[in-house]
């Protein structure tokens, strides 16, 4: 039954591919894809065999975030296996990120999930292992690897309840594919239960945590520049609220509360999630009464109390200088961004109830007392209350840091599971 369902998915592929092609032809963005010819070669598994390393660790990631998160894991894997790393991604941005990593021998776009393409790629690459990162489950990729006798490992794996329900519509297919997976290192117990319900044998499941938390650093690269900025603004002795990765609805709340905060001597920094909104944000800032600055414009007013940090790669350093942090995408229904970025720096973390992307860290911060749940109604008063009680805030901040530290160690656990598997198979 599993093979029949796989056949049906491949039967439908040409029609889906035609839809994608027509969408591209009529897209106004088609002219910006200057590398289309090369992209098509990679998507159709037509890359020259001489350009593809063989007997390598084939690592597959979705995009930029996954490529960044596994950098430390790749180092450990290469040191253990002594193999080249062939890394494929689902997006061009992910490929570009992978090309920056000196450990990656070759980065390519993954072939489209059509069995003839997947099979040809496996035949050309002849990988030693296929390591699938997070939730990049492509049936034909797994089937082609398993058919060729390439052990498949799911590393740092996760799966949502929604995806699990969808996969169960083709349960015989996934039971067949997951039943042959050699090793699965999962982020949490929920993922373990869901994969087991889809046919992954319990004795191959290991709950190891999330490797992205191993990349958390308490030594931001631009800390000196951030401190110099606060000194220039005259904020070194003032309480500073840093709001990171904000969305429009959250910026509305911040600006509506800013006058009350400023009256108590609080300085406010917000870093928009999407920098392409800069002009829209500047217009919004111009309509409010407080003296404000925009970081990228360099010229900051002497009496500035409100700063828009619209510069890439600066947020972590700003968090380090904060008295209190708010993480965006959590009042706006986006699932919350990385709650542990400020926590690892010893900052109490405010966030809203929309934290479905990071439920483990959100619940841990709330349970430890290092995080505080806020909403549109109480954000203003919560900030005022916390910044008036220095002793309580210091205690909460210490709990936030310890919570972040407790999430580290996934890379070591994954490598122990990998070593155990390899010992059993030799």
């Amino acid at each position: 039954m599993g093979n029949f369902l796989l056949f049906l998915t491949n039967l439908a592929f040409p029609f889906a591919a035609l839809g994608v092609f027509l969408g591209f032809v009529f897209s106004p963005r088609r002219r910006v894809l200057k590398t289309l010819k090369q992209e098509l070669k990679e998507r159709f598994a037509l890359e020259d065999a001489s350009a593809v390393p063989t007997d390598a660790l084939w690592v597959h990631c979705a995009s930029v975030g996954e490529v960044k998160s596994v950098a430390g894991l790749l180092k450990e894997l290469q040191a253990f296996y002594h193999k080249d790393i062939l890394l494929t991604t689902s997006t061009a941005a992910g490929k570009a990120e992978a090309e920056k990593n000196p450990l990656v021998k070759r980065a390519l776009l993954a072939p489209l999930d059509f069995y003839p393409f997947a099979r040809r790629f496996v035949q050309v690459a002849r990988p030693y292992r296929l390591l699938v990162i997070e939730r990049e489950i492509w049936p034909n990729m797994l089937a082609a690897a398993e058919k060729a006798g390439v052990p498949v490992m799911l590393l740092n794996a996760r799966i949502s309840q929604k995806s699990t329900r969808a996969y169960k519509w083709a349960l015989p297919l996934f039971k067949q594919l997951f039943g042959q997976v050699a090793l699965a290192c999962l982020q949490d117990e929920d993922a373990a239960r869901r994969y087991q319900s889809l046919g992954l044998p319990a004795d191959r499941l290991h709950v190891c945590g999330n490797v992205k938390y191993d990349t958390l650093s308490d030594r931001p690269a631009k800390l000196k520049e951030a401190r110099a900025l606060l000194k220039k603004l005259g904020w070194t002795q003032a309480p500073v609220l840093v709001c990171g990765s904000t969305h429009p609805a959250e910026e509305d709340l911040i600006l509506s509360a800013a006058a009350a905060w400023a009256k108590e001597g609080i300085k406010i920094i917000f870093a928009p999630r999407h920098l392409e909104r800069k002009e829209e944000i500047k217009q919004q800032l111009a309509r409010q009464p407080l003296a404000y600055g925009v970081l990228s414009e360099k010229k900051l007013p002497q009496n500035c109390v409100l700063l828009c940090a619209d510069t890439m790669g600066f947020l972590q350093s700003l968090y380090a200088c904060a008295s209190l942090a708010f993480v965006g995408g959590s009042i706006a229904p986006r699932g919350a961004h990385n709650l542990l970025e400020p926590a690892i720096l010893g900052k109490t973390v405010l966030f809203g109830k929309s934290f479905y992307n990071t439920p483990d860290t959100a619940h841990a911060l709330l349970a430890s007392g290092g995080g505080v749940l806020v909403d549109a109604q109480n954000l203003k008063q919560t900030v005022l209350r916390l910044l008036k009680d220095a002793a309580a805030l210091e205690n909460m901040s210490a709990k936030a840091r310890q919570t972040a530290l407790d999430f580290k160690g996934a890379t070591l656990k994954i490598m122990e599971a990998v070593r155990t598997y390899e010992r059993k198979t030799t």
Side-chain angles (χ1 to χ4, degrees):
M1 186 61 175
N3 286 330
F4 178 67
L5 290 172
L6 191 66
F7 170 75
L8 288 181
T9 66
N10 284 285
L11 201 62
F13 177 84
F15 301 100
L18 178 62
V20 172
F21 175 75
L22 291 175
F24 167 76
V25 167
F26 293 104
S27 169
R29 296 183 66 252
R30 64 187 182 277
R31 293 184 181 85
V32 306
L33 297 178
K34 298 177 182 178
T35 60
L36 179 62
K37 185 176 179 181
Q38 177 61 30
E39 288 192 20
L40 291 178
K41 277 181 67 177
E42 295 174 26
R43 295 297 193 189
F44 295 156
L46 298 175
E47 187 69 4
D48 295 336
S50 60
V52 181
T54 58
D55 195 38
L57 296 177
W58 175 14
V59 180
H60 179 65
C61 299
S63 192
V64 176
E66 291 78 11
V67 173
K68 286 183 174 179
S69 71
V70 297
L73 181 58
L74 293 184
K75 184 177 180 180
E76 296 294 330
L77 288 165
Q78 189 176 60
F80 175 69
Y81 282 109
H82 303 289
K83 299 282 186 181
D84 289 333
I85 293 175
L86 166 64
L87 196 148
T88 59
T89 66
S90 296
T91 68
K95 176 188 170 183
E97 183 64 33
E99 288 173 335
K100 298 175 187 176
N101 189 330
L103 295 176
V104 176
K105 180 77 171 181
R106 185 72 200 276
L108 294 167
L109 291 170
L112 295 170
D113 200 54
F114 184 43
Y115 191 77
F117 297 165
R119 181 181 60 190
R120 184 180 188 280
F121 187 86
V122 171
Q123 289 173 341
V124 168
R126 303 192 305 279
Y128 183 71
R129 300 283 186 268
L130 169 56
L131 313 177
V132 178
I133 305 301
E134 295 211 9
R135 55 180 180 178
E136 280 293 281
I137 304 299
W138 296 105
N140 289 294
M141 176 188 287
L142 299 188
E146 290 167 351
K147 182 73 172 177
V150 179
V152 175
M153 299 180 182
L154 309 182
L155 301 185
N156 204 46
R158 62 189 175 106
I159 186 171
S160 68
Q161 189 172 358
K162 181 179 179 181
S163 294
T164 304
R165 286 197 298 266
Y167 289 172
K168 284 185 177 179
W169 285 98
L171 188 57
L173 169 60
F174 288 101
K175 275 193 170 183
Q176 177 176 307
L177 293 173
F178 290 149
Q180 298 179 62
V181 164
L183 176 70
C185 295
L186 309 174
Q187 292 184 11
D188 53 46
E189 294 287 353
D190 286 340
R193 285 191 293 271
R194 289 165 186 162
Y195 273 110
Q196 198 171 347
S197 74
L198 292 169
L200 216 161
D203 61 347
R204 299 176 204 171
L205 294 168
H206 302 266
V207 176
C208 299
N210 191 336
V211 298
K212 83 173 182 179
Y213 301 133
D214 289 345
T215 66
L216 291 170
S217 173
D218 55 4
R219 296 181 180 180
K222 298 181 180 180
L223 182 56
K224 182 183 287 187
E225 292 95 320
R227 286 173 173 165
L229 171 66
L230 264 63
K231 184 176 181 180
K232 179 180 178 181
L233 290 168
W235 291 7
T236 53
Q237 301 302 313
V240 178
L241 169 68
V242 175
C243 305
S245 301
T246 55
H247 293 264
E250 291 157 338
E251 290 155 11
D252 289 342
L253 292 174
I254 292 163
L255 294 180
S256 66
W261 292 336
K263 188 176 180 181
E264 298 298 323
I266 300 168
K267 312 301 181 184
I268 307 115
I269 300 174
F270 71 96
R273 179 68 176 179
H274 301 293
L275 299 185
E276 64 270 19
R277 296 178 46 246
K278 177 179 175 179
E279 291 305 316
E280 168 198 332
I281 292 168
K282 284 174 62 178
Q283 292 174 16
Q284 193 175 15
L285 285 168
R287 292 194 293 269
Q288 56 84 46
L290 299 175
Y292 68 90
V294 178
L295 187 57
S296 63
E297 296 184 351
K298 307 300 181 184
K299 296 180 181 179
L300 302 174
Q302 290 295 316
N303 60 341
C304 177
V305 297
L306 177 63
L307 179 67
C308 172
D310 61 335
T311 305
M312 287 286 289
F314 206 38
L315 177 58
Q316 184 77 354
S317 300
L318 292 172
Y319 276 144
C321 298
S323 308
L324 183 63
F326 166 78
V327 176
S330 60
I331 292 179
R334 300 301 180 91
H337 300 295
N338 194 338
L339 302 177
L340 296 188
E341 279 190 344
I344 194 68
L345 298 164
K347 309 299 173 182
T348 302
V349 188
L350 307 183
F351 53 92
K353 65 181 180 180
S354 176
F355 51 72
Y356 54 82
N357 285 334
T358 57
D360 50 350
T361 59
H363 289 304
L365 283 166
L366 293 173
S368 71
V372 179
L373 204 61
V374 293
D375 56 30
Q377 286 69 46
N378 69 11
L379 175 63
K380 179 171 72 174
Q381 291 303 321
T382 301
V383 169
L384 291 171
R385 173 174 59 81
L386 290 174
L387 288 177
K388 284 180 180 178
D389 192 341
L393 189 61
E394 183 178 358
N395 182 47
M396 294 172 70
S397 297
K399 291 175 179 177
R401 176 170 169 77
Q402 186 56 55
T403 301
L405 291 172
D406 290 343
F407 274 88
K408 284 179 167 281
T411 300
L412 295 176
K413 292 176 183 177
I414 289 173
M415 288 309 303
E416 182 54 37
V418 168
R419 290 187 188 96
T420 300
Y421 164 78
E422 297 295 355
R423 282 196 297 266
K424 289 179 179 179
T425 56
T426 54

